[in-house]
Amino acid sequence: MTKKYPVLFLLLLLFGVQTSFGQHSQVTNMGNVVSVKTDQQKITLKTENAYADITVYTPSVIRVRIDNKPFQPDFSYAVVGKVMPSKVSISQNDNTIDVLTDSLRMVIHKKPFSVAFYTTGGKLINEDETGLTTSWVNQAVTTYKKMQDGEHFVGLGEKTGNLDRKGQGYTNWNSDVYAYNTAMDPLYSTIPFYIGIHHDVNYGIFLDNTYQSDFNFGASNNRFSSFGARGGEMNYYFIYHKRLADIITSYTYLTGRMPLPPMWALGYQQNRYSYYPETEVMRIAHTMRENHIPADGITLDIHYMDRYQLFTWNKSRFPDPAGMNAELRKLGFRTTVIVDPGIKVEKGAPAYESGLKEGIYIKYPDGQPYTGEVWPGWCNFPDFTSVKGREWWHKQVDFFAKSGVSGIWNDMNEFSTWGQKAPDNILFDYDGRQTTHLEAHNVFGMQMVRASYEGAKEKFGERPFILSRSGYAGLQRYSAIWTGDNRAEDDHMLLGVRLLNSLGLSGVSFTAMDIGGFVGSPSIPLYTRWMQIGAFIPYFRNHSASDTKSAEPWTFGKDALDVTRSYINLRYQLLPYLYSTFYESSANGIPVMRSLAINYTFDPKVLTAAFQNQYQFGSAFMVTPFESTRDFGKIYLPEGTWYDLYTGAQEQGKQEKIIPLTINKLPIYVKGGSIIPMQSLIQTTAEQPTDTLAIHVYNGNSANTFVYYEDDGKTFNYQKGDFYKRLIMFDPVKHTLTFDKAEGSYKSHFKYIKLIMHGFEQSASLQAGNDKFQLQDGQFAFLGTAAADSPYPTENCVVKYTTISNNTERIQLNY
């Protein structure tokens, strides 16, 4: 055509170039504001090309909702928080609308539409990029934000790469990525929430849109950061607080917080693809006990099923599942089983026929159920976005309750099929809104775990444990999440640390990675190091693939067994601290595993690649993981006083330090002022510790508080006040350690408190009113006493200690 009609071609080309920037261009901006309506905490706007609603959700959260057509009825799978009545001042003139709360100020420009956010003192927090703001290219909508000088970005959930996202771009489309590399994107889940940091301010942005979404933090440009979706509304929540931790709290106010898990789920879990038959499962359980390795869970992968069909047991491998699970419980083990969403198309199969009869499968436009191939063969898939589909799943969960199962592991729920190309035209109910796969895909996994949680909560008669590979913002209300099919490599181990830290920054606290790596066999040092780290992550699960070396702790030799067992022992002694930290997370959303960016946000060193793998485990511990091959490592101690966990040696913060690395010891530091409750060693959470609770107190220059928490660890009675909660306060200025009056109706497990004081060399006694308690000199070994033939010496901290009665009244001790 170009050879025959060169002039016409040039005219068409010229016309195309002109229209690409003209009134009918493919890029549509919002244009000027043409009408404004205000109503208490809400502003309704119409622009030349769009509609906008601005809602003050709380004094610190403002919702911005934009579409290029009139709004559909409001709906969200993620947001459960309600608009909070707030003091809001709204004023306007010909050019701007000013919105002022107690926490921030928003300015809406009219010509053209754009928004900017400021502190109440007038400092810029975030603003639209002039000339770009929000626009559409076909059905895709994107909002462009001006990139501030020195701006950094963290969060966005399960994303590879560095802790600081600056210079990178990411896509959210839940994907099955077996043996993914350390730069792979996207992975399994979608959490479109990030936190921006610059000039001593921080803010959060949550894009609530389940279509494929894209985030750009300066990738391929030096002008803007942006976020957008391939369809639907521009619907985001802007969050501002002075502290990053409070941003997470507000985000989880919107999207919900995790319920307290069962106590057994915080113990060590042994898994493999796959343990079968029953005799092998029992062998693993008995060998754990014979080797005195504390453990609470065994997980069964797909080989427990009959030909991989859901809601079945392979009767030749597991002739009496309920009996087996009862025997495991006697040994102190709970059983978790895997489930996939695909229901095998097989006439006469109860689950398949029931789903067909009740019409719960996702469908093509012509009404035929969508069929995709996975482990059992060709399958139909329940529509978890429909009430009917979720209620059907609830009923199926009764199968596991009758089998004595305690946990449900939801896999393949991205959702995954062989070929990984589920068609766009699959129809979903989307809770009465009817939509296609394009909008429903990213929320499928979250709604599956919702159905699993609701069904298990109803059928199990106690707190269930739910684990998922996929999800969307708000998944924390129903499930823990793990990072999928990782590899047995050092860089994957450290990537896993960053993935869990990023999930924590994004509101998901109960997280895991496959310890030891799923794909491939780890070396002895790598396995040992990974198990040490595993003791300091929220969900501690060892998992490996069927074609790899067995990965139980005793399979790597005696030295590795001794080291890994000592760290599992330590985790079980720390369960009072860990359970209390989980309680804190359930109350305020602050994760158990905490990137240093949470508490040291404006310290530039914590965002650098050199120190990005360091993290806090609760408020007390700082874990500094390194590759198993390293002999030395550089760490960074943030502001404050820090103690070496094993020796008690003190270090001052704001310094870098090169430390020797040995495979028997994971470098861990304790922050001055910390309060750490510990118990005696147990082999399973079904076993009771002794009646003395040890409270380790570390001297420091800053006051600190710790909320100690107990309940039965099994039921939901804590929601009715059946708990034991106590605030413990350390004040270095007043020289006091105070136990506030206990709250709740639950009776503590512990009759006595043993106070173990670190860094109190000058103190000889504690005074409580007229009572005086002499402090004894002693030593404490966090990893216990080394075996006589161990190549590693025992390390001790020098401490002072005394024991007091654990009554429920207020106790103030002066030192």
Side-chain angles (χ1 to χ4, degrees), residues 148-161:
Q148 303 299 321
D149 292 338
E151 189 163 14
H152 301 277
F153 305 91
V154 297
L156 211 64
E158 188 185 50
K159 293 298 179 186
T160 59

Side-chain angles (χ1 to χ4, degrees), residues 49-52 65-72 136 232-234:
N49 300 314
Y51 300 82
R65 189 182 180 199
I66 298 169
D67 207 345
N68 58 1
K69 56 185 178 299
F71 291 115
Q72 296 295 312
W136 290 261
E233 301 175 356
M234 173 51 62

Side-chain angles (χ1 to χ4, degrees), residues 713-730:
K714 299 176 182 178
T715 73
F716 288 92
N717 292 342
Y718 71 92
Q719 296 176 345
K720 303 173 185 176
D722 193 20
F723 58 80
Y724 177 95
K725 184 170 70 171
R726 194 166 203 173
L727 184 66
I728 307 173
M729 296 165 281
F730 166 72

Side-chain angles (χ1 to χ4, degrees), residues 155-168:
L156 211 64
E158 188 185 50
K159 293 298 179 186
T160 59
N162 290 326
L163 170 67
D164 185 0
R165 308 298 187 192
K166 186 170 186 178
Q168 300 300 312

